[in-house]
Amino acid sequence: MRATITDNHRRVPVEHLDYGYIKKCEDRKYLEEILRVLRSGEEGLYPDLIKFCESHLEKLYPQSRALRMDTPVGTAASLSEDEWSQIIDELETWQGETKKAENSLKWQSVIGDQVKKSMPAVRGLNCFVPLAQESPPKQRPNPSKRALPRDYREWDKFDVEEECEKIDENANKNDPPVTVKPRISTHVDTSFLSQQEKLLLANREKDKGNDSFRAHDYEEAVVYYSRSLSIIPTVPAYNNRAQAEIKLKHWTNAMRDCQKVLELEPRNMKALLRRATVYNHKGSYQEAAEDLRTVLMEEPQNVIAVKLLSQIEKKMKECQPEPQQKGKKLLIEEVEEEDPDGGDDKEIQQGACPVQPSQLVGGEESRATPAERGDMGNAQKKPHSKVDEGPHSETNNSHHHGHHHHHHWRHRGGSSDKYKVSHEPKEKVANGSSKRGSAASDHGDHSSNGKEAPVGGNAAETVNLDAPCGALPPPLARLKNEGNLLFRNGQFADALEKYSQAIQGYADSGIDSPEDLCILYSNRAACYLKDGNSQDCIQDCTRALELQPFSLKPLLRRAMAYESLERYRKAYVDYKTVLQIDISVQAAHDSVNRITRLLIEQDGLEWREKLPEIPMVPLSAQQHRREEPPCAEVLQARAEKAARDAERKAEAHYSAQKQKGNDLVKKGQYQDAVGKYTDCLKLKPDECAIYTNRALCYLKLEKFSEAKQDCDAALKLEPTNKKAFYRRAMANKGLKDYLACSSDLQEVLHLDPKVQEAEKELEEVTMLLRQRSLVNASPAKARKTVPITEVKDDEDVKAVPPSHNGDITGISFHPTNAYAFGQFLNIASSSGNTAACAKLLASTAPEVLPQFVGSHLDGHTISFIMRTLDSHLLEKDPGLVYQHLSHLHKADRFSVVLMLLEKDERHHMTQLLERLSETESSEFTKDDVHNLANKYI
């Protein structure tokens, strides 16, 4: 049959793959073959034709195997919640049974015959059976050779004890002795390994420890972590071994490993958290709290640290002795014994401990309602553990335990009945009252008519069960107060019954007080939540919200019930609504973060689209729950975070603009690049690289003045930036200031002699300077006209002395032009008279020195001026020397002449600059002299 089908499949022509042919075809098998060809895609993909063929085949033969479709794999989305939960439970049961079976096989004392000699021991097995030799193959017994039956007389001679001994001897001979497997060594010899091999081996041993830890074999995990540490000590290995030691309750070893980690990495969060755990178990609560606060400063959302810190703080409060309050006066009055109300008053004995300010006489604490405290009570920590306006929060209950030791002296004898404490009656909101209207009760008004009941079995602390509760009638108010009392004592089923009776009585009484009914439903929902009845809790919370929309506690309890039923979308909506009402509910924040991760895993990145609509809370529902103004530390932290965010954004914008500018330069769009670099300088005006980049753009745009300004700004930020010197040289060349260009190029070569572009440019600029000097020295230059005036004989005429013998000490040097200065300088230089040159320089303003000396500047003249400044003016007036040197290098041809100086002349120049840098003066600093030296050396 298969051969026939294959043959038919080969003989299906293309013409038969047509609507008309398929519609007329009545052969079921041939239609199935056509459908297989269409599905295979050999002749192309035709979805509509495939559907048409399937529908036609279904009409002819609905039971055809070709019409059967593969069922997709079932997932959580395709199954109901009950079915999926049942599957998960069965898988967990199977996993547990498998683990038990594995453990039972793991610890068997004898290994079967299948164990080979070379097989390694099973990890974690404490014993193994060595095989001395291979077991011989089992021979099948020959059915023909069977033992003959014995005679009855032989049975009389049979010795049972002897045969048993033979069997035992054979068993001892055949069975090898069971030996205990030696423990794994915690040290690994790595003397023959390289560093890379050590690292690889250490990671391998650490991974083995991780596997053992996941298998809950903590002892073996410690061994493998120790082996890893013996190879290369690392922070992860110490941290992991500390966690394994904590699981084994080896607190000392865990503490030692945590200390090792903190020595290597002082701010390691895992080590701090684990050390806090060790401190907690050792009773060092203060040290544990410090470590946890350090962790929360770095990771405020660390759930484990928050939970552990709250537990430790609770323990610290319980262990902390109560402070003795000084200055609290008690008025003790003597009362007659026959007073009928005396037995119900709070009693106190002489010599008893003073009463705390927050504690009423007899151990009853003053409890403020949430309206008085201005917060939501215990909503942030355990919202479902408190009934509206009734049961006290757990933080208050911790004080009750602290006061138990004050109660052992009460009711010891009749003598104490003579004394009572008189105090001023205080107003307190009654249990169960709503915020809009609460009847005040007097704590001093006690009676013996049965209206007071003990709290938690404490005879000294009582609650008024007949306290008014809003608009509820007295019987219903008493039921509610009894429910609050039972809830606070942990009797949730009894409290639920009381609340149910109150709700039924409310319906029968016909009163109209939706706020009180909302509180009753909310309290009963808390009881349902405590008993694990999430479905009824959701119903009661929904009824409460219908009566009072956007009420905080019903929303929070319904969200918890939804979460317990794994209805994460509805729980998320309720938690978000709670945060709109009161942003300070930390439990809602934590739950939102947790459910967000679950929804992402369940629904993917489009999880928000599958959420129900989150209702908008009106402003009127938020006004009475305004967030308290943050403290100074919080404000400072927010300001620092805002500053960091602004700095991060500015840095990102700066990097983006700089990159855009660089890309535009590469494309040759220099004008646009200038705009990008200008934006960068607005963000970071002290960035040298931006100035040099913009200077390059200005050079390409032939804006030489702007380029020079940017290079000057860059050199102020980085005085040794060779790019800035080179680009300023190009700007000076464009401005035809060849002398300044030559000076900048020499600076570039001084910083980096290998810059070939600077060498080529310097040669070109030197040629341009020589051409300019030849043009200036040509005879075609226009002569100046000197006017000659006649003077009388009695007038003094100041003229340059014609004497050339060098004796010019008596002449007053006040040159007014370059010619007179040159004549005086030549006379002093030819005679070597440095004193006369000193007078000449002292009488010449530093600003005009480059103009006076530029026309006849040479190497000998520069050397003579340097020796004069060094020998005569440096000690008298160092400021004048600095001013002359600051202007002398600006003279024409100075850079060219500087290149032609001989070694001795350079030595005089260097010596002068060194002595000037060592001289103290208010007109210049040592750094100024060093910057000036770059112009000369």
Side-chain angles (χ1 to χ4, degrees), residues 630-760:
C631 59
E633 296 179 356
V634 174
L635 291 174
Q636 183 179 359
R638 290 179 182 175
E640 292 176 356
K641 185 177 183 299
R644 288 195 299 269
D645 293 342
E647 183 179 357
R648 193 181 303 111
K649 290 180 181 178
E651 182 67 28
H653 183 59
Y654 165 80
S655 301
Q657 294 296 99
K658 181 181 178 182
Q659 186 61 39
K660 290 179 181 178
N662 296 342
D663 295 340
L664 291 171
V665 170
K666 293 177 182 178
K667 296 177 183 178
Q669 302 175 8
Y670 301 111
Q671 189 62 46
D672 296 335
V674 167
K676 299 299 180 183
Y677 291 136
T678 303
D679 294 340
C680 290
L681 290 174
K682 292 178 181 178
L683 298 173
K684 288 188 176 182
D686 297 333
E687 196 68 26
C688 180
I690 303 300
Y691 283 110
T692 56
N693 291 358
R694 193 171 69 172
L696 175 62
C697 297
Y698 282 137
L699 288 175
K700 296 294 184 179
L701 296 171
E702 297 184 357
K703 296 182 180 181
F704 302 113
S705 299
E706 291 83 350
K708 184 178 179 181
Q709 291 177 1
D710 281 352
C711 292
D712 292 338
L715 289 172
K716 288 181 180 179
L717 298 172
E718 292 185 16
T720 59
N721 190 297
K722 58 184 179 182
K723 284 187 178 180
F725 276 118
Y726 182 79
R727 289 169 186 173
R728 189 172 71 175
M730 295 298 98
N732 287 327
K733 182 180 178 182
L735 295 172
K736 297 183 180 181
D737 189 355
Y738 301 126
L739 191 59
C741 176
S742 175
S743 176
D744 287 339
L745 291 172
Q746 291 178 30
E747 289 293 339
V748 174
L749 294 173
H750 176 72
L751 295 171
D752 188 0
K754 298 180 181 180
V755 181
Q756 297 180 358
E757 294 84 355
E759 292 180 356
K760 294 179 182 179

Side-chain angles (χ1 to χ4, degrees), residues 777-786:
S778 63
K781 186 176 180 179
R783 296 179 177 270
K784 292 183 179 180
T785 58
V786 180

Side-chain angles (χ1 to χ4, degrees), residues 870-893:
D870 188 13
S871 58
H872 293 278
L873 295 179
L874 183 59
E875 296 181 357
K876 295 180 181 179
D877 192 355
L880 181 62
V881 174
Y882 176 77
Q883 293 295 330
H884 276 309
L885 292 176
S886 299
H887 292 84
L888 179 61
H889 69 85
K890 299 178 182 178
D892 294 340
R893 301 190 304 165

